[in-house]
Amino acid sequence: MNRSESDNKNIWHPFTPLVDGLEPLLVESANGVYLHLHDGRKIIDAVSSWWVNIHGHSNPIIADAIAEQAKKLEHVIFAGFTHEPAIRLAENLLTILPSNQTKIFFSDNGSTAVEVALKMAIQYWHNQGIKNKTKIIALDGAYHGDTFGSMSVGERGPFNNAFAPYLFKVAFLDFPTEENKEKLFHDFETLVKSNEVGVFIYEPLVQGAAGMRMYSPEILETLLSIAHQYNVICIADEVFTGFGRTGKLFASQHMNSQPDIMAVSKGITGGFLPLGVTSCSEKIVEAFRSAETSKTFFHGHSYTANPLACAAANASFGLLLSSECQKRIQQISESHLEFIAQNKNHTAIKNIRSRGTILAIELQTKNGTSYFNEKAKQIYPYFLQRNILLRPLGNVFYVLPPYVITDEELNSVYTSIKDFLEELVLET
Ligand SMILES: Cc1ncc(COP(=O)(O)O)c(C=O)c1O
């Protein structure tokens, strides 16, 4: 049996239909922005492999840090024991997270970081004996992960229809725009005024999976100040936006009002190993600081704070804060803005937008923008044939490269996009 046949027979891939799906490409190795395929092709990973790979593939500094750690301590139970990589990582993260964040809780991925955040917020009210703050508000179109809690606070639809009866109730606020903001502030205030809202969860400034939908810091600033005014716990899901993606280390740093709880993951290890982190402010910690067993946060995973993942994250942290990386983040952000200025009036484009290192292109389409738009079937193979990985969200596709991408490599991606847009015009 060849490798593809064996894969097809034995493996169930995520977000992939079991029939009529595209055959997965066999990757032999990866280096910098390139994926090296078994068939000899070399593909630019322009989406950072599901948005995780911030320093390029097989970065030697992170690889060495993991190897060194593996020879010393690969894993240890994290209840009753601790270790240097976790202690150092918590210190490191607290120097770059918003200054009100004071404690770090480890888990394994973005969904669990969100799950922990929700449980912390809910138990925050429970531990104080406050019974009326049971409502949760999320934003229309949200994606917070695939566990039951994170699905509950996410957009309801084809991704989770099968589980609808098992998801808890959440009030969804319209996605913020310049046009609807006044009504939105009013609706939000009406909801939170009831004093029954305990939690507000949001993806700050960019909803990734919803199609790289963007909204302004000014709108979020107002929503956060209303939430704080009515004592609602604010959870910033920075699983996607963290670690430089939006031009600042965290998207929350585009606002003055800060979240009470934050969920981060994806870029944290530079894309080497799974790791999730939920941080929180002293106000949250206070509600758990008790010798009463019932007030303990009873949550954990076998691999909580895995030392290899923490070592990778510490190495990635050093790279992220280097002046070279910070400069590259600004340069990529500027290149995206230039590309937008040059192409914003293209007839094939409905909307083109960026926030930091994220560039999103929404194509004109007869059927309206959606994840299931047929255009995706055209976009993905077009770029793959040109050795570029761009994984569309329906008729929206995006460039979200590892920060090590060179100008030349980025320009080759832009050129292919321009060619694609021209071909779309010729088709119509
Ligand atoms: C904003 C946000 N939250 C949570 C998640 C879930 O993260 P994971 O896939 O690591 O479980 C994602 C994944 O795309 C995300 O974009």
Side-chain angles (χ1 to χ4, degrees):
M1 205 183 295
N2 72 29
R3 298 296 80 201
S4 287
E5 286 163 353
S6 177
D7 178 288
N8 189 32
K9 178 169 178 288
N10 300 326
I11 299 178
W12 199 332
H13 286 264
F15 290 103
T16 308
L18 285 184
V19 289
D20 291 340
L22 292 173
E23 197 178 289
L25 301 170
L26 185 55
V27 182
E28 212 121 87
S29 64
N31 203 280
V33 292
Y34 292 104
L35 304 174
H36 298 274
L37 303 192
H38 180 68
D39 62 15
R41 272 186 292 162
K42 192 175 143 189
I43 292 188
I44 295 186
D45 184 353
V47 295
S48 300
S49 276
W50 257 338
W51 322 341
V52 300
N53 190 286
I54 57 177
H55 304 301
H57 291 274
S58 306
N59 178 288
I61 292 174
I62 304 178
D64 286 349
I66 296 171
E68 281 310 303
Q69 186 56 44
K71 287 183 243 162
K72 223 189 290 173
L73 169 68
E74 86 303 345
H75 188 61
V76 64
I77 175 174
F78 206 60
F81 290 82
T82 191
H83 51 78
E84 177 59 23
I87 294 170
R88 194 146 46 90
L89 180 56
E91 285 172 356
N92 283 340
L93 290 173
L94 290 172
T95 64
I96 60 168
L97 284 164
S99 57
N100 71 332
Q101 302 293 295
T102 59
K103 225 166 178 63
I104 297 292
F105 192 96
F106 292 104
S107 65
D108 302 335
N109 55 63
S111 304
T112 56
V114 168
E115 203 75 27
V116 167
L118 289 168
K119 286 178 73 174
M120 254 182 203
I122 292 166
Q123 195 177 338
Y124 166 83
W125 296 115
H126 176 87
N127 280 6
Q128 297 171 91
I130 295 170
K131 296 208 163 60
N132 58 319
K133 296 272 238 184
T134 52
K135 287 196 177 144
I136 297 178
I137 300 182
L139 291 182
D140 224 19
Y143 178 76
H144 294 291
D146 289 341
T147 53
F148 272 85
S150 58
M151 277 196 293
S152 296
V153 290
E155 171 86 358
R156 308 297 165 91
F159 280 15
N160 49 39
N161 273 343
F163 316 106
Y166 306 94
L167 303 181
F168 57 73
K169 227 176 124 194
V170 167
F172 287 96
L173 209 60
D174 286 346
F175 181 78
T177 63
E178 288 309 311
E179 291 70 43
N180 75 1
K181 66 182 180 189
E182 294 308 328
K183 179 177 179 304
L184 190 78
F185 298 150
H186 178 263
D187 291 350
F188 190 55
E189 188 152 12
T190 307
L191 275 170
V192 297
K193 245 185 188 164
S194 68
N195 238 354
E196 291 171 357
V197 177
V199 182
F200 170 47
I201 180 164
Y202 56 94
E203 292 154 272
L205 307 187
V206 190
Q207 280 188 336
M212 299 295 155
R213 294 206 294 183
M214 301 178 187
Y215 61 107
S216 74
E218 293 74 26
I219 292 182
L220 186 52
E221 183 85 64
T222 305
L223 290 175
L224 291 176
S225 63
I226 295 171
H228 289 320
Q229 192 186 335
Y230 292 97
N231 202 12
V232 173
I233 297 303
C234 296
I235 301 175
D237 175 354
E238 294 238 21
V239 167
F240 163 49
T241 50
F243 304 101
R245 267 298 157 213
T246 67
K248 296 199 186 242
L249 287 169
F250 294 95
S252 292
Q253 285 153 344
H254 291 272
M255 277 76 57
N256 294 319
S257 292
Q258 292 307 323
D260 302 287
I261 301 178
M262 288 174 72
V264 300
S265 183
K266 289 202 185 272
I268 190 168
T269 63
F272 270 69
L273 286 165
L275 182 66
V277 158
T278 308
S279 67
C280 67
S281 68
E282 197 53 29
K283 167 176 160 177
I284 304 294
V285 181
E286 265 306 303
F288 291 82
R289 205 168 260 135
S290 164
E292 278 176 60
T293 312
S294 66
K295 293 194 175 168
T296 302
F297 190 52
F298 285 111
H299 186 105
H301 302 276
S302 313
Y303 284 94
T304 291
N306 173 258
L308 303 182
C310 291
N314 284 320
S316 177
F317 174 86
L319 290 169
L320 178 69
L321 293 198
S322 70
S323 56
E324 205 181 333
C325 181
Q326 288 301 308
K327 202 165 114 199
R328 223 28 228 143
I329 288 173
Q330 298 317 320
Q331 285 167 344
I332 294 168
S333 308
E334 282 161 26
S335 300
H336 283 350
L337 288 173
E338 264 172 50
F339 184 81
I340 291 175
Q342 286 162 12
N343 295 281
K344 61 176 190 275
N345 297 323
H346 199 288
T347 51
I349 294 178
K350 182 174 173 196
N351 183 271
I352 181 165
R353 50 190 178 264
S354 77
R355 171 74 63 194
T357 67
I358 309 162
L359 170 69
I361 297 157
E362 187 173 341
L363 295 178
Q364 292 284 9
T365 158
K366 289 190 194 86
N367 317 323
T369 294
S370 124
Y371 181 85
F372 296 99
N373 190 288
E374 287 289 306
K375 281 264 188 275
K377 292 195 179 133
Q378 203 178 344
I379 300 167
Y380 186 68
Y382 180 93
F383 290 101
L384 258 192
Q385 269 169 17
R386 280 152 190 80
N387 293 330
I388 297 168
L389 169 56
L390 286 180
R391 197 181 149 89
L393 298 156
N395 57 313
V396 179
F397 64 103
Y398 54 90
V399 183
L400 204 152
Y403 306 145
V404 291
I405 195 165
T406 62
D407 284 342
E408 198 184 353
E409 288 156 351
L410 192 53
N411 284 333
S412 75
V413 175
Y414 291 151
T415 303
S416 287
I417 294 175
K418 282 189 208 158
D419 292 346
F420 177 62
L421 295 173
E422 282 313 301
E423 288 187 29
L424 284 180
V425 174
L426 290 178
E427 266 174 30
T428 51

